[in-house]
Amino acid sequence: MGEPKIAVLGAGANGASVGADLTAAGLDVTLIEQWPEHVEAMRRDGIRIEMPDRTLVQEVRVLHLCEVATLRQRFDVVLMLMKAYDSRWAAHLIEPYLQPDGLLVGVQNGMTAETIAEVVGPHRTLGCVIEISSMMWEPGIVERNSPPDRSWFAVGSFHDSTRGREEEVASLLRHSGAVEITDEILAAKWMKLVSNSGTLVTTAILGLPMLEAAAIPEMRRLMIRSSDEALRVGQAAGFPVLPIFGLTPEQMSAAPCLAEFLLDTLLEGFVLPETKTTVLQDWMKGRRSEVDDINGNVVRLGAAHGIPTPVNRAVVEVAHRIEAGELSPLPDNLEILLAAVDG
């Protein structure tokens, strides 16, 4: 087999970072992106990845989303870095250009792996967890707060037909961060959702960077409660508690409060003071967020298993009010959020 042909479907902040790393490593990579100005900026100037310790300016091959229909090649591996709510249509878009034995990997937040498998088949799907902190405000320029030595992925199969193929994807992602291969990828993705449920939307509601919001005692308690609800829901649904973020089982089992331990691990190892969550970035750009795929997922699965989820339910309610234009992301929303929890 020759050099694999790789597509990065969704070249926003995280996708552009991964695509730049793979291209810099000499791999055959095509980026596919839906923001026209961003595509043109990358074609003109390359992608600029600004990291705390260095800046990478990398020429990349990039297509507009509408140019996918002109492709004559098929890809061996497609790394999908789209929003969770875009997974189904994006999988349909790229499916004709995926090799019959190719792999489509949702390098995303949310429980997207099975949705992707419904479109391209489980024999062409692997699951993935991603932990990269990055932001993008201008076309062609990414602020990557966690460079490769502080980024982390988990890759795994959830169907017998792909077991043993994990290394095909892990070997690619190692150019962009540390990679673990797991036999329980769906549980690992739920563990990432446990972390996300306490951080992404909750802190965005206050309109503050994650570290600043987490420094507010009432907010920190709410963040931990949200993640703890997600932990209990996952256990009721049959997901084992797994290490993430490069932690060991011993570290996880020794934690007096696992939700708090995961929060502190994230804040201390992956987040810079200026880091704004992807949800806050979306709202600042006037876009919808992934709240229904994160906290909403906890609420739905909790209801199915009889587990109360008052914090996650309140987070969804307030987030929907922000997206409807009734509220703006502001610190004053903490009182509204606390009232919604108690209500």
Side-chain angles (χ1 to χ4, degrees):
M1 179 178 176
E3 182 181 7
K5 294 188 179 299
I6 306 156
V8 176
L9 179 56
N14 286 346
S17 296
V18 172
D21 289 336
L22 270 58
T23 303
L27 301 176
D28 185 345
V29 183
T30 300
L31 279 62
I32 302 169
E33 171 55 27
Q34 58 185 324
W35 183 11
E37 292 83 0
H38 183 37
V39 172
E40 292 306 316
M42 288 189 285
R43 284 177 169 174
R44 183 180 63 249
D45 303 319
I47 183 67
R48 181 180 180 89
I49 312 293
E50 298 178 348
M51 294 171 275
D53 58 341
R54 63 188 174 95
T55 295
L56 170 66
V57 179
Q58 177 64 50
E59 292 185 3
V60 291
R61 182 190 307 128
V62 57
L63 299 177
H64 289 283
L65 202 65
C66 62
E67 293 176 315
V68 169
T70 69
L71 285 169
R72 294 182 178 179
Q73 67 173 2
R74 287 178 177 249
F75 297 105
D76 299 293
V77 177
V78 176
L79 305 175
M80 181 193 290
L81 287 100
M82 306 284 286
K83 296 295 183 182
Y85 52 71
D86 286 331
S87 298
R88 187 176 296 277
W89 72 257
H92 277 291
L93 174 78
I94 205 66
E95 191 278 333
Y97 309 99
L98 182 66
Q99 290 282 11
D101 62 347
L103 292 171
L104 178 52
V105 188
V107 189
Q108 306 163 286
N109 292 320
M111 303 299 287
T112 60
E114 291 173 303
T115 298
I116 293 169
E118 290 174 8
V119 177
V120 303
H123 63 291
R124 294 197 290 177
T125 308
L126 288 182
C128 183
V129 183
I130 177 174
E131 184 51 55
I132 293 180
S133 174
S134 61
M135 302 184 289
M136 184 168 65
W137 308 104
E138 299 178 45
I141 301 175
V142 174
E143 299 173 36
R144 183 172 176 179
N145 297 325
S146 57
D149 63 354
R150 294 180 62 206
S151 298
W152 176 86
F153 304 86
V155 175
S157 171
F158 55 95
H159 191 268
D160 288 343
S161 61
T162 54
R163 297 200 189 281
R165 300 191 63 187
E166 297 87 351
E167 185 60 29
E168 295 176 37
V169 173
S171 64
L172 304 179
L173 291 176
R174 286 195 189 98
H175 294 290
S176 206
V179 183
E180 294 182 20
I181 294 176
T182 177
D183 293 331
E184 296 276 4
I185 189 60
L186 297 182
K189 285 185 72 65
W190 187 266
M191 288 300 299
K192 178 64 189 305
L193 189 143
V194 166
S195 176
N196 286 343
S197 69
T199 55
L200 293 189
V201 188
T202 48
T203 60
I205 285 172
L206 272 58
L208 298 173
M210 193 187 301
L211 280 173
E212 189 175 344
I216 302 170
E218 296 91 339
M219 188 56 171
R220 177 181 171 86
R221 286 192 289 270
L222 208 63
M223 294 166 70
I224 293 169
R225 285 182 61 190
S226 183
S227 290
D228 190 60
E229 287 178 3
L231 270 171
R232 288 187 282 110
V233 168
Q235 289 175 301
F239 293 125
V241 174
L242 298 180
I244 58 171
F245 303 144
L247 295 168
T248 66
E250 293 74 21
Q251 288 173 308
M252 297 277 284
S253 61
C257 174
L258 184 54
E260 184 172 22
F261 180 57
L262 290 175
L263 174 62
D264 288 337
T265 299
L266 177 70
L267 296 180
E268 293 167 10
F270 297 94
V271 179
L272 295 180
E274 64 271 20
T275 300
K276 296 179 176 68
T277 72
T278 180
V279 172
L280 182 54
Q281 293 179 60
D282 286 337
W283 287 345
M284 293 173 71
K285 297 170 185 175
R287 299 180 53 172
R288 64 180 285 209
S289 76
E290 295 173 302
V291 62
D292 293 321
D293 298 281
I294 300 171
N295 303 84
N297 213 336
V298 176
V299 173
R300 289 190 298 274
L301 197 59
H305 291 277
I307 305 297
T309 55
V311 178
N312 281 276
R313 188 177 298 277
V315 169
V316 172
E317 176 186 322
V318 177
H320 284 172
R321 292 183 64 187
I322 290 172
E323 293 182 358
E326 297 174 16
L327 297 172
S328 297
L330 293 169
D332 289 347
N333 290 337
L334 179 55
E335 293 303 318
I336 298 173
L337 192 55
L338 290 170
V341 172
D342 293 337

